[in-house]
Amino acid sequence: MRAVVVALGKIGLPLAAQIARAGHEVVGCDIDPAVVDAVNAGEPPFPGEAGLAEALQETVGAGRLRASTRTTDAVAAGPDLVVAVPPLAVDRRARPVWRALDAAIRAIGDGLQPGTTVSVETTVPLHTTRSRLAPLLEQASGLIAERHFHLVFSPERVYSGRVFRDLATYPKLVGGLSAAGEARAVELYRAFLDAEVWSMGSAEAAELAKLAETTYRDVNIAFANELARIADDHGLDVARAIEGANSQPFSHIHQPGVAVGGHCIPVYPRFLLAGAPDARLPRVAREINEAMPGYAVDLLGEVAGRRVLVLGVTYRGGVKETAFSGALALRDELQARGAEEVLGHDPLLSDAELEALDFLPWHGEPVDAAIVQADHREYADLGPEDLPAQAIVDGRGVLDAERFAGRVKRLGRP
Ligand SMILES: NC(=O)c1ccc[n+]([C@@H]2O[C@H](COP(=O)([O-])OP(=O)(O)OC[C@H]3O[C@@H](n4cnc5c(N)ncnc54)[C@H](O)[C@@H]3O)[C@@H](O)[C@H]2O)c1
């Protein structure tokens, strides 16, 4: 098989290496020349992906994987499969900003040849594959979908950092615009994946599956957050209650937390809701989760005129990503309630990066109050001498609360 993978990011590059490692010939395309140069040198352009360096050395070294900035030329060579994983940016309200995805699809369309199967893996709102991407490919190529080329949607479901492991274990979901196209794509995916490949019946079914699995997590976390607030009202321990509930096999309650952040979980329920104006549960779950930073500030007490520290500005521990981070919502909430200063600390961010996000960098000086927003491993070791604050809310349950002699409030814990 000959394949082209478009967008060599945290997801696309391991996928390209996976296809090449299965013995196929792959061209990986990216608009960033630095990414292309690194890949052609056999080096990962980003850190943290287990097994990627070895996979690149093996496949680039053997000449089965090469990178290029020329997507249209690579597609014009007539590969069997084109896999597209470009980013889909969103605005502050999690609405799609289509520019990058459209540009990548047009570049593919400009080179598209009869007989090629195109698979889009970027998470999209319902009907995007059929109603937006197919027409873009047809306009650019002059070809007709399902007559001259196939288009399928196959959501990327892996977790960055362990992509190869997830590719080997999670079923690959494939949904086409036609039964023939779907069958052809299933056959092509089976040629390089050890995991099961599932035929979903339509592109829309595959789109919905991805939105469902991410929205499930948001709804589940919202339920855990609601339980935490009930536990607070009744002086009960939510952690023990969830542990108890989950001790039989029908209960899978997640953990409460000060915020749901990152590129995926706060965003994809909004994609789902955009096509489902009458849906209620995901909307309520979003409202509950978006209210949690405000609830955490409530637990701190009066903040007007106080200096308040946010510990952990990335959206979660160990990941340098601030998209939709709860720290930003906490910052806004604290500013709106008249905090004198909002300080920030994060082991993954420099002072300049904190300042760019409107946090005053904190270097251990006493503050009036603090909220732990991200579960960075470093925070588990903090004691009262490292964190001199009158009131502390641990929004992730990472601090050793006993060391703080009653000054730490955890969500849903007496
Ligand atoms: N990161 C994750 O954990 C994850 C998990 C599941 C699904 N996804 C999906 O994968 C998509 C991509 O995520 P990522 O983490 O790989 O992104 P990323 O930011 O790591 O990489 C995106 C890459 O796309 C390139 N690019 C941008 N526009 C392009 C274009 N027009 N043509 C070619 N290349 C282009 C960029 O230069 C960059 O190298 C997401 O939008 C999401 O739908 C991501």
Side-chain angles (χ1 to χ4, degrees):
M1 178 171 92
R2 286 185 305 129
V4 168
V5 175
V6 178
L8 301 176
K10 293 183 286 296
I11 304 298
L13 182 55
L15 191 71
Q18 168 81 22
I19 302 173
R21 216 155 44 169
H24 307 290
E25 190 192 311
V26 184
V27 182
C29 300
D30 201 286
I31 49 170
D32 184 343
V35 168
V36 166
D37 289 347
V39 172
N40 283 331
E43 284 159 16
F46 49 83
E49 186 54 53
L52 182 59
E54 298 78 2
L56 289 181
Q57 259 164 28
E58 178 191 328
T59 55
V60 175
R64 286 201 301 277
L65 172 61
R66 69 180 175 84
S68 165
T69 53
R70 304 163 74 100
T71 299
T72 299
D73 290 351
V75 175
D80 303 287
L81 177 66
V82 176
V83 181
V85 216
L88 174 54
V90 293
D91 67 13
R92 284 167 67 91
R93 290 167 60 190
R95 291 175 302 200
V97 177
W98 295 103
R99 209 172 318 116
L101 180 61
D102 284 358
I105 296 297
R106 269 199 214 95
I108 292 168
D110 285 340
L112 195 58
Q113 299 297 312
T116 297
T117 297
V118 179
S119 176
V120 175
E121 298 207 356
T122 305
T123 306
V124 290
L126 283 178
H127 303 292
T128 298
T129 309
R130 195 181 302 267
S131 303
R132 182 179 194 97
L133 306 183
L136 274 177
L137 286 173
E138 289 179 331
Q139 281 158 18
S141 66
L143 303 175
I144 296 172
E146 303 316 309
R147 188 184 301 169
H148 302 118
F149 68 93
H150 294 306
L151 174 62
V152 301
F153 180 70
S154 178
E156 194 49 78
R157 311 164 69 204
V158 297
Y159 199 72
S160 58
R162 53 165 211 228
V163 172
F164 292 111
R165 194 179 87 190
D166 290 351
L167 281 174
T169 46
Y170 299 163
K172 191 80 178 106
L173 311 181
V174 178
L177 301 189
S178 73
E182 187 168 303
R184 172 66 175 150
V186 166
E187 178 189 20
L188 291 167
Y189 273 105
R190 284 191 179 139
F192 64 89
L193 289 178
D194 293 329
E196 290 176 29
V197 182
W198 288 18
S199 188
M200 294 300 287
S202 68
E204 291 74 17
E207 289 169 345
L208 182 59
K210 173 69 187 185
L211 298 179
E213 73 185 30
T214 47
T215 303
Y216 166 79
R217 287 173 63 194
D218 202 41
V219 170
N220 193 323
I221 294 166
F223 181 51
N225 284 334
E226 192 114 86
L227 289 175
R229 296 176 74 147
I230 293 170
D232 276 338
D233 287 345
H234 292 264
L236 297 169
D237 184 344
V238 74
R240 192 65 179 152
I242 290 175
E243 194 178 21
N246 286 351
S247 66
Q248 53 86 303
F250 303 109
S251 187
H252 310 277
I253 305 169
H254 291 7
Q255 296 301 316
V258 56
V260 177
H263 271 302
C264 305
I265 307 302
V267 172
Y268 300 151
R270 293 273 174 219
F271 284 12
L272 181 65
L273 287 164
D278 296 330
R280 286 179 296 164
L281 189 54
R283 199 178 310 278
V284 173
R286 269 288 79 223
E287 284 167 13
I288 291 171
N289 290 337
E290 286 170 8
M292 287 307 285
Y295 180 66
V297 177
D298 290 344
L299 292 179
L300 269 188
E302 183 58 67
V303 295
R306 305 257 160 89
R307 304 176 71 239
V308 186
L309 166 66
V310 176
L311 281 166
V313 171
T314 61
Y315 84 93
R316 69 175 164 98
V319 178
K320 189 173 175 178
E321 174 59 73
T322 57
F324 292 92
S325 170
L328 310 180
L330 285 170
R331 175 202 62 198
D332 294 346
E333 193 74 38
L334 290 164
Q335 286 173 348
R337 295 193 198 187
E340 185 190 328
E341 277 175 356
V342 180
L343 298 98
H345 174 269
D346 196 292
L348 298 177
L349 299 177
S350 67
D351 284 1
E353 287 170 319
L354 290 170
E355 278 164 7
L357 294 168
D358 210 10
F359 290 95
L360 203 65
W362 177 73
H363 296 286
E365 62 274 24
V367 292
D368 296 311
I371 301 181
V372 180
Q373 194 289 136
D375 53 346
H376 290 300
R377 222 178 319 148
E378 294 84 341
Y379 294 160
D381 300 327
L382 291 179
E385 62 291 346
D386 313 301
L387 183 52
Q390 304 296 328
I392 301 169
V393 169
D394 183 357
R396 300 286 177 190
V398 286
L399 296 177
D400 185 351
E402 283 182 14
R403 292 178 67 188
F404 288 84
R407 271 185 295 138
V408 170
K409 175 77 188 103
R410 294 173 294 177
L411 303 176
R413 311 290 292 274

